[in-house]
Structure formats: C-alpha cells, structure tokens
Amino acid sequence: MTMPATDLATTVLARCDELAGLTEEPGRLTRRYATPALRAAGDAVGGWMREAGMTVRRDAVGNVIGRREGGPRTLLLGSHLDTVVDAGRYDGALGVLVALAAVERAADLPYAVEVYGFADEEGVRFGTAYLGSGAVVGAPLPLERVDADGVRLADVLRTDPVDARRDPAGLIGYVEVHIEQGPALEEAGAPLGVVTAIAGQTRSTVAFHGRAGHAGTVPMDLRHDALAGAAEWVGTVEAAGAEEAGLLATVGELTVEPGASNVIPGRVNASLDVRHAEDRARRAANERLRARAEEIADARGLRLQWQTVLDTVAVACDPTLSDLLARAAGPDVPRLASGAGHDAVMMSRIAPAAMLFVRCAGGISHHPAESVAHDDVAAAIDATTRFLEEVR
Ligand code: GLV
Ligand code: MN
Ligand code: MN
C-alpha cells in the first residue's frame, strides 16, 4: 500500500461530485441508460481508469471496463454509473470509484483485475433493471421495450448485446462496494458492513384502460375513469405493504392520459415494485396485488393490462469471499441483508459475488440528500485494498 486511504477518499468524493455534474437535467442529477450524460460519465471514469494504468474498453451495452493485467485469473469489481431521477451522487458511482482507488493502491497483484462501471442498474429508462450486468452474464435483454419517447432498447444498443458477455472461465469472483441505502449501519455505529444476501424483486407495468370523456357532461354513474380505478388500487398496494411484515410494495410511476383537467382519464400507466426477503412471499404478494387490480378493473368496467418486466430471486452472497471481506473490514463488522438490488445479483450468475456496504447518513438514498462521511469512504478503500491483497 502506498497512497494513504484518506487522500484517496478525498479524490473519490471529488470524483463523485464531478460525476454529479454529468446529468440530463440542469439542477438535478438524472443519468439514465444510453443518454449523453451517461456516456460523459463513462468517459470520465474511463479517463481515471487510464490514469490508474488500466486499459479501458466499452462493451456492447455501454458498460465501461478498466483492466489491469496481473496473472491468469481475474477478479471483477464494480457497480453502476446510471442513476434514478433526481438522484443522490453516491448510489453506484461510489462503488466504481472506491474499487478503482483500491486497485490503484494495491500494486502487483498476482491476478488481473477488471473494474466495471455498469451502464444500467436502476432500470429507469426502460423500466427493467440490470441491463448492464445482465448483458455481461448473458441474461436475455428485453429488446422490444420502449422508453417514454417510444425509443426501442434494440435501437439504442451499440452492437449485438451478446458481445458484452463475459466468459466466466478463470474468474475469482465479483466484489461490489455500495452505500447501504438504509439505516442499519448508522444505528450500529459501524462505517462498513458485509452483505449476506440481496432480496429479490418483481417489477411490473400495469395499465388501466377506461374511457376518456367530457368532465362536464358525462354523468358520474356512466364513467369508466381509469385514474379513479388506479387510485383505488394504489391504496391497496400501500395497505398490503403495511399489513405484511417484510413486504415492500411501491407504485413509483403513474402517467394519466390524455391528461387534461377537463377530460376524464382514459388510461393510466403505473409501475409496481414488490420486494421481500423471501421469494415465495414476494411472489404471493405480487399475485394478490394483480388479483386486486383485476377485481377493481372489473367492478369499474376498465380493462387491465399487466406485464412483468423484472423478476429476480433473492441471492446469497458467497461465504468465502464474504468472510475475506469481513476480515478486511475489521473486527465485529456487521453482516446485513440488502433490500435494494445490486449488479451483484446478476454477476453472481457467472462468479462468486460479495458486497461491502458503506454507511450513509440517515439511510437516505434515491434522493439528492444522499451523503457519506469522508472517513467511511477511507475505511472502504482500506478494506477493499486489504481484500485485494488477500484474495487469491
Ligand atoms: C436499486 O436501486 C433498486 O431499485 O434496488
Ligand atoms: Mn445502486
Ligand atoms: Mn439505486
């Protein structure tokens, strides 16, 4: 180890600030898949990778990958560079930059390292997550999905996504550093934690079709108001989450068509995100919410269209790599499960995967107030460097 972790933490935080300026929307951070802002972030990260002595390439889905040679086997590290809408600056980016700092610091490793800056983990643009890491592990990509402007995923891909596939031969594992995005580490007074498992998630798009009409002339008992039906259903989604321990159910998107104050809503497009540590409980809750949507639609003379766009099972982290990470992170490091999804979910399909969480203030995430302490970032760089020096 040469450079002190505290200096590197200063650099990492300054780079997170710089990336936060690469946004689609002035005044707030939004960096969706395959946008000029994401390309600019990838260019910046690629430049820092080159400065760290890595060779850099962009794969077919737009992931940026820095590689340093070192031996016949390869360790993968990384996280994502895309963000949610009006995001914080650490979700994803911090993990890429901590990995890069640790690789730079740990000289002469007996294996090659690759740091991935994944192009899509959040799934904001096409409604389905993990396009970047999914392509790397050979998961089928939903090429016909369209974004809000009707642009097909197939039309924004650089080349055939099959070209992004990573050969699993010779991989030591995949390690991801990420902010916790919850309050557990802060409550435990711990800067770092080692992840035991990542919860599964089911995401769906749900459309209520009704009949648009004049707000001043169509009698109330003759209406088929798509928004009134969707609103009733959204209430049942929240209630389901509140009633069942461990269930998290969210409608995060709602668009109303045609969308005018004097027109009865003819169509509503909603998203549904369902999570639970137990796969069976998640799937059962999802089915109940679908049945409720159908009942509500029937009762109101609406037509329901339901499409499942993502369904991932809970993933257990690799015990050997996790133990090594825990030793590198210091005595009594907490172990905790992740309710948020991470690229490690996909990467675990081709390599043993482990994750290190960094405490974030108030557990706040997916919000511009996301923040991390300088010393905690230094601790993460230290732990990751120690891990790199121990893993074989
Ligand atoms: C990723 O941030 C997720 O939605 O869990
Ligand atoms: Mn993330
Ligand atoms: Mn996120």
Side-chain angles (χ1 to χ4, degrees):
M1 289 193 198
T2 46
M3 281 163 278
T6 181
D7 293 353
L8 285 166
T10 305
T11 303
V12 163
L13 290 173
R15 287 175 173 177
C16 288
D17 292 345
E18 192 172 331
L19 291 181
L22 302 175
T23 172
E24 296 175 60
E25 302 180 291
R28 63 180 197 168
L29 172 54
T30 300
R31 204 164 53 227
R32 297 168 309 150
Y33 178 56
T35 55
L38 186 77
R39 170 156 275 277
D43 287 346
V45 170
W48 296 324
M49 288 169 164
R50 270 186 212 96
E51 279 173 28
M54 305 181 104
T55 54
V56 179
R57 66 188 173 92
R58 248 198 177 90
D59 68 15
V61 285
N63 299 318
V64 175
I65 306 141
R67 178 176 170 93
R68 191 174 80 188
E69 301 300 335
R73 302 182 75 215
T74 305
L75 178 73
L76 308 180
L77 300 133
S79 193
H80 58 100
L81 295 175
D82 67 316
T83 74
V84 293
V85 176
D86 198 11
R89 59 189 57 189
Y90 304 107
D91 176 359
L94 183 77
V96 179
L97 298 172
V98 165
L100 181 57
V103 168
E104 201 173 353
R105 197 162 171 238
D108 296 332
L109 298 169
Y111 52 85
V113 281
E114 287 181 18
V115 177
Y116 272 79
F118 291 109
D120 172 273
E121 182 267 358
E122 303 287 6
V124 172
R125 180 162 175 192
F126 289 99
T128 179
Y130 307 132
L131 297 178
S133 46
V136 171
V137 305
L141 297 190
L143 296 174
E144 295 308 318
R145 280 196 69 77
V146 291
D147 70 6
D149 299 318
V151 178
R152 286 159 70 231
L153 172 58
D155 294 332
V156 304
L157 288 172
R158 303 176 74 227
T159 55
D160 188 336
V162 168
D163 297 342
R165 269 192 183 192
R166 183 69 174 73
D167 181 358
L171 293 183
I172 297 169
Y174 169 77
V175 174
E176 179 165 356
V177 177
H178 203 285
I179 57 167
E180 182 205 338
Q181 306 182 275
L185 292 177
E186 199 170 63
E187 276 164 18
L192 304 176
V194 171
V195 178
T196 52
I198 304 165
Q201 52 179 289
T202 305
R203 296 194 199 180
S204 312
T205 54
V206 183
F208 290 86
H209 298 261
R211 194 161 62 228
H214 198 294
T217 61
V218 182
M220 296 307 285
D221 61 341
L222 294 182
R223 294 185 180 198
H224 300 284
D225 182 328
L227 179 57
E232 186 181 342
W233 175 70
V234 171
T236 70
V237 172
E238 189 197 28
E243 281 158 19
E244 183 175 339
L247 178 65
L248 298 123
T250 307
V251 176
E253 282 180 281
L254 209 59
T255 55
V256 181
E257 295 173 13
S261 64
N262 59 349
V263 182
I264 298 161
R267 174 176 173 151
V268 166
N269 302 307
S271 64
L272 176 66
D273 179 310
V274 181
R275 313 211 189 183
H276 195 289
E278 304 284 336
D279 290 328
R280 276 226 311 252
R282 184 189 77 254
R283 292 212 166 109
N286 194 64
E287 284 315 305
R288 280 197 304 278
L289 290 172
R290 182 175 182 158
R292 282 297 292 135
E294 271 159 8
E295 279 165 24
I296 291 168
D298 280 352
R300 291 173 169 272
L302 307 173
R303 185 168 62 82
L304 187 78
Q305 231 180 341
W306 187 289
Q307 192 187 5
T308 303
V309 289
L310 180 77
D311 189 63
T312 56
V313 296
V315 164
C317 290
D318 179 70
T320 308
L321 289 183
S322 299
D323 285 350
L324 210 53
L325 256 186
R327 277 207 295 284
D332 305 324
V333 64
R335 307 264 188 158
L336 68 171
S338 175
H342 299 288
D343 293 299
V345 167
M346 284 291 152
M347 297 304 283
S348 68
R349 296 186 185 178
I350 59 163
M355 286 194 73
L356 183 70
F357 269 174
V358 183
R359 170 168 60 186
C360 60
I364 295 167
S365 180
H366 285 186
H367 188 280
E370 230 169 53
S371 91
V372 287
H374 175 278
D375 286 357
D376 293 358
V377 174
I381 295 169
D382 252 337
T384 308
T385 314
R386 271 197 292 275
F387 173 85
L388 292 176
E389 290 172 345
E390 292 300 319
V391 74
R392 291 294 177 264

